[in-house]
Amino acid sequence: MRAIIKATEQAGSLQVADVPRPQPGPRDVLVRMKAAGICYSDVSILTNRYIGRKPVPIPIIMGHEGAGIVEEVGAEVQGLRPGTPVAFEVLSGCGKCEQCRIGFKNMCEDWEHMGITCHGTFAEYAVVPAHLVHPMPEGMEFVEAAFLEPLSLTVRTLEYVRPLPGETVAILGPGALGMLHLQAFLSAGASMVAVVGLEQDRKRFELARSLGAHCIVNLSERDPVQAIREATGGRGVDIVVETANSPNATRLAFDLAAARGRVILFGLYPEATISPVTMLRKGLTVHGDVAILPKHFLRAMNWIATGKVDVKKLITRRFRLEEAQEAFDSLREGETVKVVFDI
Amino acid sequence: MRAIIKATEQAGSLQVADVPRPQPGPRDVLVRMKAAGICYSDVSILTNRYIGRKPVPIPIIMGHEGAGIVEEVGAEVQGLRPGTPVAFEVLSGCGKCEQCRIGFKNMCEDWEHMGITCHGTFAEYAVVPAHLVHPMPEGMEFVEAAFLEPLSLTVRTLEYVRPLPGETVAILGPGALGMLHLQAFLSAGASMVAVVGLEQDRKRFELARSLGAHCIVNLSERDPVQAIREATGGRGVDIVVETANSPNATRLAFDLAAARGRVILFGLYPEATISPVTMLRKGLTVHGDVAILPKHFLRAMNWIATGKVDVKKLITRRFRLEEAQEAFDSLREGETVKVVFDI
Amino acid sequence: MRAIIKATEQAGSLQVADVPRPQPGPRDVLVRMKAAGICYSDVSILTNRYIGRKPVPIPIIMGHEGAGIVEEVGAEVQGLRPGTPVAFEVLSGCGKCEQCRIGFKNMCEDWEHMGITCHGTFAEYAVVPAHLVHPMPEGMEFVEAAFLEPLSLTVRTLEYVRPLPGETVAILGPGALGMLHLQAFLSAGASMVAVVGLEQDRKRFELARSLGAHCIVNLSERDPVQAIREATGGRGVDIVVETANSPNATRLAFDLAAARGRVILFGLYPEATISPVTMLRKGLTVHGDVAILPKHFLRAMNWIATGKVDVKKLITRRFRLEEAQEAFDSLREGETVKVVFDI
Amino acid sequence: MRAIIKATEQAGSLQVADVPRPQPGPRDVLVRMKAAGICYSDVSILTNRYIGRKPVPIPIIMGHEGAGIVEEVGAEVQGLRPGTPVAFEVLSGCGKCEQCRIGFKNMCEDWEHMGITCHGTFAEYAVVPAHLVHPMPEGMEFVEAAFLEPLSLTVRTLEYVRPLPGETVAILGPGALGMLHLQAFLSAGASMVAVVGLEQDRKRFELARSLGAHCIVNLSERDPVQAIREATGGRGVDIVVETANSPNATRLAFDLAAARGRVILFGLYPEATISPVTMLRKGLTVHGDVAILPKHFLRAMNWIATGKVDVKKLITRRFRLEEAQEAFDSLREGETVKVVFDI
Ligand SMILES: NC(=O)c1ccc[n+]([C@@H]2O[C@H](COP(=O)([O-])OP(=O)(O)OC[C@H]3O[C@@H](n4cnc5c(N)ncnc54)[C@H](OP(=O)(O)O)[C@@H]3O)[C@@H](O)[C@H]2O)c1
Ligand SMILES: NC(=O)c1ccc[n+]([C@@H]2O[C@H](COP(=O)([O-])OP(=O)(O)OC[C@H]3O[C@@H](n4cnc5c(N)ncnc54)[C@H](OP(=O)(O)O)[C@@H]3O)[C@@H](O)[C@H]2O)c1
Ligand SMILES: NC(=O)c1ccc[n+]([C@@H]2O[C@H](COP(=O)([O-])OP(=O)(O)OC[C@H]3O[C@@H](n4cnc5c(N)ncnc54)[C@H](OP(=O)(O)O)[C@@H]3O)[C@@H](O)[C@H]2O)c1
Ligand SMILES: NC(=O)c1ccc[n+]([C@@H]2O[C@H](COP(=O)([O-])OP(=O)(O)OC[C@H]3O[C@@H](n4cnc5c(N)ncnc54)[C@H](OP(=O)(O)O)[C@@H]3O)[C@@H](O)[C@H]2O)c1
Ligand SMILES: [Zn+2]
Ligand SMILES: [Zn+2]
Ligand SMILES: [Zn+2]
Ligand SMILES: [Zn+2]
């Protein structure tokens, strides 16, 4: 089958290759992939900037977002049948460590994560442990289901901050995660959502505006602290989400928050400089986390099914597996938000 | 000045009377009332069914919702001027007890509550302690501001249950509080809000439907447990709010909840029968509370100002003070949701 | 092997019988039982007062507390070996329903619970799914490990109420669960723990006193509301735990709480009468729940291992399996707190 | 009267001076001071390293911890009488801003804080707004009451992290705040509390040990990450409190935490470098805050009154006001934990 692989240890060694079609084990499902999205983590793996719990094995089929149709089920799998359209989680814990036992497989030190520690979704077929597989709700499209993983991260944010209608929000980084957060906070009744980005994000700002962002802050044009003050009657925002790709954003996140604000950090930077006095004087609470849990995935399915978010609006480019290089290149253009492979 | 009073200890002794215009103390504000809403508590006071922390003094000017214009300020009052349109909280704590000190004046055993322990809002003028008074935001109308007190109760509910988009809700009792909750949960992104009421609530059901309720349950027509199951794919609702006027609703609230649901009780019944085994098997959390805190009032102002709720849609009848009897009578018709006095 | 069974549908039909030694399935472990405690639920099953999610199958080996030594492991079991002393959880979810998927097997409508829906621990051998089995920490005794299940319920309570040092507590019902709660709250720094019970609980009061209870309330001697007021400077207690066996205790729980108190209900009564006005005026939060999750079990192991509770102090009588009738009878005497079988 | 003042803008300009005895306003209380403790903030004010919301006025009577006897009450003060031993909060909000209205005077941008924005406690008399004054409970000593302010900060920490018995804790910085936290977490049932400090803290380590610390980490002798791993079976600690005086400690705090740990930051550093990837991979929640609220003060009184902490054990040196210079100097010796003035 055709698959997009990181072929060597070298940064950027992207290939589209013929690899053997994998065999599902007794408790696995073989999925005929139909759609798969590229995430910034894929880029950081390709460019060797990803800092993982274990080294990324080489060669690896990339990708950890996606959906497809059950092609084959392992001998012990119950309740799933060939032909069923499915979405799936991509993370398994070891099942034995304390964090796994108490329900936090995302904290497992010995996790398996498709596209990161084992083969992923940018291929014609993918093997997925059966307990990670969820039949798609009636009426959901494959490209929508391919968003469930990143959308689940957004659910996780809302579980942490539990917004009330009328609260104000700033999102740093108008990329894919940023736009999903924008939609989610609007659904939750935020009265003001600001999106903060760079000059090269102009096209993304247009999308943000069309999705309902109340305030756009281009960092090369305006002082963000000043801009957010104006947009909030001097208060700062109740909630800040950092989904930029720059450690400067970590510090800025604290600067934009209102008294007793809540800050969510996504950027996995090795280092960032913050101002504790700013954070303390404001009485901030900061949450950092990685990956998702089943409850987030189920809620994300519910959000798409009930129209709380419209993920298709984020798709700016669609490619075939063969066009891997073009697909990854397109991410570097400020015009792209989400890039999806049709498989 | 003209005022609506409960004149004697007898149930129902409603009068419109001439009483002396009150004098503000040094830290009080005299408000020229412009609008005031009737709440079910007023009815229960009038009919002697209200169970208070202290006896209701007689005679008393009734009413605890309302807004107006500053007429006069006491000698020590700063920052408020005659002519300013104002909304106001109606509850003061003793300021000395533990609950007052730690910020929960609603738990003060020695509280003063306008319309309940001292004179209220159904009059041409009302005296209000200055620290309870909030200038109305630009563009807010007096009839809207008159809803801030009950709307604050709705804020309180959302602070307890912290809904996520996509959660499901049942509201028992399609009265004024019920309709405010309906709007608030829709703003917060609830994917299904059911409103449960009686045969005589048919007109109220129409309003609920027009406000966006997804499911209407008329208790004389359908088994509510069955109806809610159907509306939620068998799960029950994540959140139940009991704003009916019947102790039967307390038990029903538990019956409608999903596993790990959250239940908010409003009805101040002396007794109700519940099923602990139902509650425990579902792992429910139940909150009961009374009255409001400043944080709820400020958020309620924010909700009206940012359009999160449209309280005017609830006003079914408007009366003059002179028409007190008609106003209270109209509440007994199922057609009425909120009755407001224009003063 | 010898086992204690409920032999027929009749209330009280207790037998000690010879039954075939069970065979572990490929993912099961066969445990040679060493100790097992009787819980009130066992009594209610025996007396046909237990209200389950599914009917109790007859005949059934009773018991859901216990510990032992691995005798044999199924073909697919990894990481467990014959000869290892083990404790175990007794509840499995279906693994497929929403509540199971999001980590709440205790909410599974199709659960299996040893001693309730399938064979239990009052036998020489018991079959336990391998993922429920936890090797006992160094130095823990079997009779201690036999307390892990009820102690986990106590952990669950503390997770709900999250006591601060200096808070006050009332425990209704000086039985096994009550005494475990007493120890746990003392460990957490409660400044006053009251234990409330009946005249026939005199011996239990002595134990409570020796464990450190600050206040004992014998309901036939004193008005409990008055007694708790005296013990708390008029406030009521911050936390109430209802572990009595009487629906009257549900209402009393609300009466003893302080403003903004937290109430935990254990009693699975079909009906109880409460006073909503009392609950609301105090702004109470009430939690009901059943059974336990892995996180509770692991914390309970930690509590015994680190000496936070001393469960052995609760053992008032020890019996052999053959003495089943005496063991159950002894529970009816007020002198018994916890009854354990040595196997 | 005699008072310790920062006399000029220069760093270190400490004087003991004769100043006029202050007059209480109509809502104030004049307190005859009996005891007052020095806090690290006093040092940072003296050395011009304090970064305040407003500039520190010069000259200023220093000190913000203390207790004494009511000498005189203002005309409008009720419920307080000359001769009453009192403790007091030292922070007033403006009373008008949003944060003040909703109960968070510590977030007020226009606060008054004794010893920081107005005259403080290192004097024979101090003027205190009546609503901040709390009569001391029977049996409490003045030197104990002088600890209520810093102890309240410890209460605030426990309110954020809500420890369960059996959790593990690391405290960075074995100073006054560190020792109060040590005692509080032991009272709350922590199973392992580690205290981390420098070579010059050797004497402080001895005190920590005698108070019950399970593990002492001298940073010049051991790798703290390694030491904490050993003390926690490889997990890291559930809770980290940073009460050191060095921005390096901010980063270290994250390094010591276990998966899903909670971190409390006290150090008001202008800058610190952290590792977001560490924080995120562990799923940490971090809280920063300043100053205290009435609820913390009342709970601190309760902790001293019920023996949850023994603050007197922290007093290493006692001085008279005249010995101000010696008192401040002694803080620089690693032998000192808490320095108190007897007045
Ligand atoms: N913790 C987790 O579980 C988790 C999971 C997934 C992703 N992540 C992280 O989340 C972040 C966002 O992911 P994504 O897929 O949404 O990435 P993305 O699509 O690349 O979006 C990031 C956006 O931020 C912009 N940006 C760069 N520097 C900025 C700055 N200083 N201020 C504001 N915006 C800035 C980027 O602009 P340019 O493209 O022009 O640079 C881009 O528009 C990444 O850092 C990723 O590693 C974390
Ligand atoms: N805890 C607090 O802080 C607080 C504050 C304010 C109000 N409350 C309470 O909140 C409740 C609602 O207040 P409200 O002003 O919204 O009252 P309302 O306008 O009278 O609304 C109550 C609605 O519930 C309906 N109802 C009666 N029995 C019912 C049942 N068994 N099931 C479902 N619906 C039923 C009523 O119908 P009919 O009119 O036809 O009977 C009415 O439509 C009252 O009990 C009030 O005392 C509590
Ligand atoms: N929700 C759950 O997950 C769960 C799990 C386990 C147990 N439970 C329930 O928890 C309760 C306690 O279990 P347990 O094993 O501790 O039972 P237990 O040992 O029988 O203890 C109950 C104690 O309460 C006393 N009592 C009876 N009526 C009382 C009253 N009105 N006020 C105060 N005390 C009273 C009993 O006295 P007498 O013995 O003299 O009557 C006995 O001392 C039971 O109802 C059980 O069904 C619930
Ligand atoms: N946020 C707030 O509301 C608030 C309120 C009060 C205090 N604070 C802050 O809390 C901190 C502690 O106050 P305190 O009164 O307890 O101060 P303290 O008595 O001076 O204690 C700090 C201790 O930390 C030690 N230390 C210095 N560098 C360290 C390092 N890298 N690692 C570990 N320990 C180190 C110090 O040793 P040496 O003395 O030998 O340097 C000293 O023993 C201060 O930074 C203060 O400004 C914050
Ligand atoms: Zn694991
Ligand atoms: Zn009060
Ligand atoms: Zn299940
Ligand atoms: Zn203020």
Side-chain angles (χ1 to χ4, degrees):
Chain A
M1 67 173 187
R2 298 300 278 170
I4 299 175
I5 59 173
K6 178 158 197 278
T8 74
E9 304 281 354
Q10 270 203 303
S13 96
L14 191 71
Q15 288 187 8
V16 185
D18 260 316
V19 299
R21 181 169 142 177
Q23 298 293 328
R27 296 183 210 162
D28 293 332
V29 168
L30 182 72
V31 177
R32 170 79 189 85
M33 295 302 301
K34 297 298 288 177
I38 308 184
C39 158
Y40 182 80
S41 306
D42 300 315
V43 177
S44 67
I45 288 170
L46 185 63
T47 54
N48 287 359
R49 270 173 298 152
Y50 180 80
I51 309 166
R53 287 197 175 122
K54 346 183 192 176
V56 176
I58 295 296
I60 187 171
I61 299 176
M62 300 184 70
H64 62 267
E65 304 175 355
I69 297 173
V70 175
E71 178 81 16
E72 204 183 316
V73 303
E76 299 179 22
V77 175
Q78 292 180 328
L80 284 169
R81 254 196 303 241
T84 307
V86 290
F88 48 85
E89 299 172 63
V90 291
L91 162 59
S92 318
C94 73
K96 282 162 209 150
C97 73
E98 192 177 314
Q99 294 298 320
C100 280
R101 288 211 156 192
I102 65 177
F104 292 91
K105 65 180 182 181
N106 65 332
M107 289 294 124
C108 179
E109 303 264 339
D110 192 28
W111 76 4
E112 295 294 342
H113 196 298
M114 288 176 69
I116 299 181
T117 70
C118 58
H119 288 316
T121 57
F122 297 168
E124 287 176 89
Y125 294 90
V127 166
V128 189
H131 70 277
L132 300 181
V133 175
H134 303 257
M136 282 163 51
E138 198 79 9
M140 189 178 285
E141 301 176 29
F142 291 114
V143 284
E144 290 178 314
F147 274 88
L148 285 167
E149 207 272 344
L151 183 58
S152 301
L153 294 167
T154 309
V155 172
R156 194 188 76 195
T157 293
L158 270 80
E159 286 231 335
Y160 273 119
V161 304
R162 293 269 166 182
L164 281 184
E167 288 200 298
T168 55
V169 183
I171 295 167
L172 310 190
L177 272 182
M179 297 296 180
L180 292 172
H181 278 85
L182 168 60
Q183 291 194 40
F185 279 110
L186 290 173
S187 268
S191 63
M192 199 292 295
V193 185
V195 172
V196 182
L198 307 172
E199 178 61 25
Q200 65 256 43
D201 291 318
R202 284 192 169 279
K203 281 275 174 188
R204 290 169 184 157
F205 289 149
E206 272 171 41
L207 178 63
R209 186 75 79 183
S210 81
L211 290 171
H214 303 83
C215 169
I216 299 291
V217 182
N218 179 334
L219 288 171
S220 13
E221 288 179 354
R222 305 179 65 184
D223 171 34
V225 174
Q226 189 53 35
I228 292 299
R229 274 219 192 105
E230 272 167 37
T232 56
R235 278 188 197 85
V237 286
D238 298 311
I239 298 162
V240 185
V241 184
E242 186 278 306
T243 57
N245 292 325
S246 157
N248 300 332
T250 307
R251 177 177 206 145
L252 181 57
F254 295 5
D255 292 340
L256 300 185
R260 301 176 44 254
R262 293 149 278 159
V263 175
I264 299 284
L265 301 180
F266 271 93
L268 296 149
Y269 320 117
E271 282 209 340
T273 301
I274 61 166
S275 167
V277 72
T278 300
M279 186 205 160
L280 271 64
R281 282 246 190 276
K282 290 186 180 177
L284 302 184
T285 290
V286 184
H287 302 280
D289 207 344
V290 288
I292 62 153
L293 299 175
K295 66 176 171 175
H296 304 128
F297 198 85
L298 289 176
R299 178 64 67 197
M301 289 180 78
N302 159 269
W303 281 3
I304 293 179
T306 61
K308 293 295 147 196
V309 296
D310 182 348
V311 295
K312 290 203 289 179
K313 290 202 177 135
L314 270 59
I315 305 174
T316 32
R317 301 288 299 275
R318 301 172 77 146
F319 293 91
R320 314 208 58 82
L321 288 183
E322 297 300 327
E323 302 164 309
Q325 193 62 57
E326 292 90 320
F328 274 84
D329 287 349
S330 79
L331 277 171
R332 257 175 265 139
E333 303 153 20
E335 310 196 4
T336 308
V337 172
K338 194 72 183 182
V339 168
V340 171
F341 290 109
D342 292 305
I343 311 176
Chain B
M1 66 174 188
R2 299 298 278 171
I4 300 175
I5 60 173
K6 178 158 197 277
T8 73
E9 304 281 354
Q10 270 204 303
S13 95
L14 192 70
Q15 288 187 8
V16 186
D18 260 316
V19 299
R21 180 169 142 177
Q23 297 293 328
R27 297 183 210 163
D28 293 332
V29 169
L30 183 72
V31 177
R32 170 80 189 84
M33 294 303 302
K34 298 297 291 178
I38 308 185
C39 157
Y40 182 80
S41 306
D42 301 316
V43 178
S44 67
I45 288 170
L46 184 63
T47 54
N48 288 358
R49 270 172 299 151
Y50 180 80
I51 309 166
R53 286 195 176 124
K54 346 183 193 178
V56 176
I58 295 295
I60 187 172
I61 300 176
M62 299 183 71
H64 63 268
E65 303 175 355
I69 297 173
V70 175
E71 178 81 16
E72 205 183 315
V73 302
E76 299 179 22
V77 174
Q78 292 179 328
L80 285 169
R81 254 198 302 243
T84 307
V86 290
F88 48 87
E89 300 171 63
V90 291
L91 162 58
S92 318
C94 73
K96 282 162 210 150
C97 73
E98 192 176 315
Q99 294 299 320
C100 280
R101 289 211 155 192
I102 65 176
F104 292 91
K105 65 180 181 182
N106 65 333
M107 290 293 124
C108 179
E109 302 265 339
D110 192 27
W111 77 4
E112 295 295 341
H113 195 299
M114 289 176 70
I116 300 180
T117 70
C118 59
H119 289 316
T121 57
F122 297 166
E124 289 177 88
Y125 295 91
V127 166
V128 189
H131 71 277
L132 299 181
V133 175
H134 302 256
M136 282 163 52
E138 200 78 8
M140 189 178 286
E141 301 176 30
F142 291 113
V143 284
E144 289 179 313
F147 274 88
L148 285 167
E149 207 272 345
L151 183 57
S152 301
L153 295 167
T154 310
V155 172
R156 194 187 75 195
T157 294
L158 270 79
E159 285 231 334
Y160 273 119
V161 303
R162 293 268 164 184
L164 281 183
E167 288 200 299
T168 56
V169 183
I171 295 167
L172 310 189
L177 271 181
M179 297 297 179
L180 292 173
H181 277 84
L182 168 59
Q183 292 195 39
F185 279 111
L186 290 173
S187 269
S191 64
M192 198 291 294
V193 185
V195 172
V196 182
L198 307 172
E199 178 62 24
Q200 64 257 44
D201 291 317
R202 284 192 169 278
K203 282 274 174 187
R204 290 168 183 158
F205 289 150
E206 273 171 41
L207 178 62
R209 187 74 81 183
S210 81
L211 290 171
H214 303 83
C215 169
I216 298 291
V217 182
N218 179 333
L219 288 171
S220 11
E221 287 179 354
R222 306 177 64 185
D223 172 33
V225 174
Q226 190 53 35
I228 292 298
R229 273 217 193 107
E230 274 167 36
T232 56
R235 278 187 197 86
V237 284
D238 298 311
I239 298 161
V240 185
V241 184
E242 185 279 303
T243 56
N245 293 325
S246 157
N248 300 332
T250 307
R251 177 177 205 144
L252 181 56
F254 295 5
D255 292 340
L256 301 185
R260 301 176 43 253
R262 293 150 276 160
V263 175
I264 298 285
L265 301 179
F266 270 93
L268 297 148
Y269 320 117
E271 281 209 341
T273 301
I274 62 166
S275 166
V277 72
T278 301
M279 187 205 159
L280 271 64
R281 281 246 189 277
K282 291 186 179 177
L284 302 185
T285 290
V286 184
H287 303 279
D289 207 344
V290 289
I292 61 152
L293 299 175
K295 65 176 170 175
H296 305 128
F297 198 85
L298 289 177
R299 177 64 67 198
M301 289 180 78
N302 158 269
W303 281 3
I304 293 180
T306 60
K308 293 296 147 197
V309 296
D310 181 348
V311 295
K312 289 203 290 180
K313 290 201 177 137
L314 270 59
I315 306 175
T316 33
R317 299 287 301 272
R318 301 171 77 146
F319 293 92
R320 315 210 56 83
L321 288 183
E322 296 301 326
E323 302 164 309
Q325 194 61 56
E326 293 90 319
F328 274 84
D329 286 351
S330 79
L331 278 170
R332 258 176 264 137
E333 303 153 23
E335 310 197 3
T336 308
V337 173
K338 193 72 183 183
V339 168
V340 171
F341 290 110
D342 293 303
I343 309 174
Chain C
M1 67 173 188
R2 298 299 279 171
I4 301 175
I5 61 173
K6 179 159 198 274
T8 74
E9 304 280 353
Q10 271 204 303
S13 95
L14 192 71
Q15 289 187 9
V16 186
D18 261 316
V19 299
R21 178 170 143 177
Q23 298 293 327
R27 296 182 211 162
D28 293 331
V29 168
L30 183 73
V31 177
R32 170 80 188 84
M33 294 303 301
K34 298 297 290 178
I38 308 186
C39 158
Y40 182 80
S41 306
D42 300 315
V43 178
S44 67
I45 287 170
L46 185 62
T47 54
N48 288 358
R49 270 173 298 151
Y50 180 80
I51 309 166
R53 287 198 175 121
K54 346 183 194 177
V56 176
I58 295 296
I60 187 171
I61 300 177
M62 299 184 70
H64 62 267
E65 303 175 355
I69 297 172
V70 175
E71 178 81 17
E72 203 184 317
V73 302
E76 299 178 23
V77 174
Q78 293 179 329
L80 285 169
R81 254 196 305 240
T84 307
V86 290
F88 48 85
E89 300 170 63
V90 291
L91 162 59
S92 318
C94 74
K96 282 163 209 148
C97 73
E98 192 177 314
Q99 293 299 320
C100 280
R101 288 210 155 191
I102 64 176
F104 292 91
K105 66 180 181 182
N106 65 333
M107 290 294 124
C108 179
E109 302 265 339
D110 191 28
W111 77 5
E112 294 295 341
H113 195 299
M114 288 177 69
I116 299 181
T117 70
C118 58
H119 289 317
T121 58
F122 297 167
E124 288 176 89
Y125 294 91
V127 166
V128 188
H131 71 277
L132 299 181
V133 175
H134 303 256
M136 280 164 53
E138 200 77 8
M140 189 178 287
E141 300 175 30
F142 291 114
V143 283
E144 290 179 312
F147 274 88
L148 285 167
E149 206 271 344
L151 184 57
S152 301
L153 294 167
T154 310
V155 172
R156 194 188 74 193
T157 293
L158 269 80
E159 285 232 333
Y160 274 120
V161 303
R162 293 268 165 182
L164 281 183
E167 289 200 297
T168 55
V169 183
I171 295 167
L172 310 189
L177 272 182
M179 297 296 181
L180 292 174
H181 277 84
L182 168 58
Q183 292 195 39
F185 279 111
L186 290 173
S187 268
S191 64
M192 199 293 294
V193 185
V195 172
V196 182
L198 306 173
E199 179 61 25
Q200 65 257 42
D201 291 318
R202 283 191 170 279
K203 281 274 173 190
R204 290 169 183 157
F205 289 149
E206 273 171 41
L207 178 62
R209 186 75 81 183
S210 82
L211 290 171
H214 303 82
C215 170
I216 299 290
V217 183
N218 179 333
L219 288 171
S220 13
E221 288 180 354
R222 306 178 65 185
D223 172 32
V225 174
Q226 190 53 35
I228 291 299
R229 273 218 192 106
E230 273 168 35
T232 56
R235 279 187 198 85
V237 286
D238 299 311
I239 298 162
V240 185
V241 185
E242 186 278 306
T243 57
N245 293 324
S246 157
N248 300 332
T250 307
R251 177 177 205 144
L252 182 55
F254 296 4
D255 291 340
L256 301 184
R260 301 174 44 254
R262 293 149 278 160
V263 175
I264 298 285
L265 301 179
F266 271 93
L268 297 148
Y269 319 118
E271 280 209 340
T273 301
I274 62 166
S275 167
V277 72
T278 301
M279 186 206 160
L280 272 64
R281 282 248 188 276
K282 291 186 179 177
L284 302 183
T285 290
V286 184
H287 303 280
D289 207 345
V290 288
I292 60 152
L293 299 176
K295 66 176 171 175
H296 304 128
F297 198 86
L298 289 177
R299 177 65 66 198
M301 289 180 79
N302 159 268
W303 281 4
I304 293 179
T306 61
K308 293 295 146 197
V309 296
D310 181 349
V311 295
K312 289 202 290 181
K313 291 201 176 135
L314 269 60
I315 305 175
T316 34
R317 299 289 300 275
R318 301 172 76 145
F319 294 91
R320 313 210 57 83
L321 287 183
E322 297 300 326
E323 303 163 308
Q325 193 62 56
E326 293 89 320
F328 273 85
D329 286 350
S330 79
L331 278 171
R332 256 175 266 140
E333 302 153 22
E335 311 197 3
T336 309
V337 174
K338 192 73 183 181
V339 169
V340 171
F341 291 109
D342 293 303
I343 311 175
Chain D
M1 67 172 189
R2 299 298 280 169
I4 300 175
I5 59 172
K6 178 159 197 278
T8 73
E9 304 281 353
Q10 271 203 302
S13 97
L14 191 71
Q15 288 186 9
V16 186
D18 260 317
V19 298
R21 179 169 143 178
Q23 298 293 327
R27 296 182 211 164
D28 292 333
V29 169
L30 183 71
V31 177
R32 170 78 189 85
M33 294 303 302
K34 297 298 289 179
I38 308 185
C39 158
Y40 182 80
S41 306
D42 301 316
V43 178
S44 66
I45 287 170
L46 185 62
T47 54
N48 288 358
R49 270 173 298 153
Y50 180 79
I51 309 167
R53 286 195 175 124
K54 346 182 191 176
V56 176
I58 296 297
I60 187 172
I61 300 176
M62 299 184 70
H64 62 267
E65 304 175 355
I69 297 173
V70 175
E71 178 81 17
E72 202 184 317
V73 302
E76 299 179 22
V77 174
Q78 291 180 329
L80 284 169
R81 254 196 303 241
T84 307
V86 290
F88 48 88
E89 300 172 62
V90 291
L91 162 58
S92 318
C94 73
K96 282 161 208 151
C97 73
E98 192 176 314
Q99 294 298 319
C100 280
R101 289 210 155 192
I102 65 176
F104 292 90
K105 65 179 181 183
N106 65 334
M107 290 293 124
C108 178
E109 303 265 339
D110 191 28
W111 75 5
E112 295 295 341
H113 195 299
M114 288 176 71
I116 299 182
T117 69
C118 58
H119 287 317
T121 58
F122 297 167
E124 288 177 88
Y125 294 92
V127 167
V128 189
H131 72 277
L132 300 181
V133 175
H134 303 256
M136 281 163 52
E138 200 78 9
M140 189 178 288
E141 301 176 29
F142 291 114
V143 284
E144 291 179 313
F147 274 89
L148 285 167
E149 206 271 346
L151 183 57
S152 301
L153 294 167
T154 309
V155 172
R156 193 188 75 194
T157 293
L158 270 81
E159 286 231 334
Y160 273 120
V161 304
R162 293 268 165 183
L164 282 184
E167 289 200 298
T168 56
V169 183
I171 294 167
L172 310 190
L177 272 182
M179 298 296 180
L180 292 173
H181 277 84
L182 168 60
Q183 292 195 40
F185 279 110
L186 291 173
S187 268
S191 63
M192 199 292 294
V193 184
V195 172
V196 182
L198 307 173
E199 178 61 24
Q200 65 256 44
D201 291 318
R202 282 191 170 279
K203 280 276 173 185
R204 291 170 183 156
F205 289 150
E206 274 172 40
L207 177 62
R209 186 76 78 184
S210 82
L211 290 171
H214 302 83
C215 170
I216 299 291
V217 183
N218 178 334
L219 288 172
S220 12
E221 288 179 354
R222 306 178 65 185
D223 172 33
V225 174
Q226 189 52 36
I228 292 299
R229 272 217 192 106
E230 273 167 35
T232 56
R235 278 188 197 84
V237 285
D238 298 312
I239 297 162
V240 185
V241 184
E242 186 277 306
T243 58
N245 292 324
S246 157
N248 300 331
T250 307
R251 177 177 204 144
L252 182 56
F254 295 5
D255 291 341
L256 301 185
R260 300 174 45 253
R262 293 149 277 160
V263 175
I264 298 284
L265 301 180
F266 270 93
L268 297 148
Y269 320 117
E271 281 209 339
T273 301
I274 61 166
S275 167
V277 72
T278 300
M279 186 205 160
L280 270 65
R281 282 248 188 275
K282 290 186 179 177
L284 302 184
T285 290
V286 184
H287 302 281
D289 207 345
V290 289
I292 61 152
L293 299 175
K295 65 177 171 174
H296 304 128
F297 198 85
L298 289 176
R299 177 64 66 198
M301 289 180 78
N302 158 270
W303 281 4
I304 293 179
T306 61
K308 293 297 146 196
V309 295
D310 182 349
V311 295
K312 290 203 288 180
K313 291 201 177 135
L314 270 59
I315 305 175
T316 34
R317 300 288 299 274
R318 301 172 76 146
F319 294 91
R320 314 208 58 82
L321 288 183
E322 296 300 325
E323 302 163 307
Q325 191 63 54
E326 293 89 319
F328 274 85
D329 287 351
S330 78
L331 277 171
R332 258 175 263 140
E333 303 152 23
E335 310 197 3
T336 309
V337 172
K338 193 71 182 182
V339 169
V340 170
F341 291 109
D342 293 304
I343 310 175

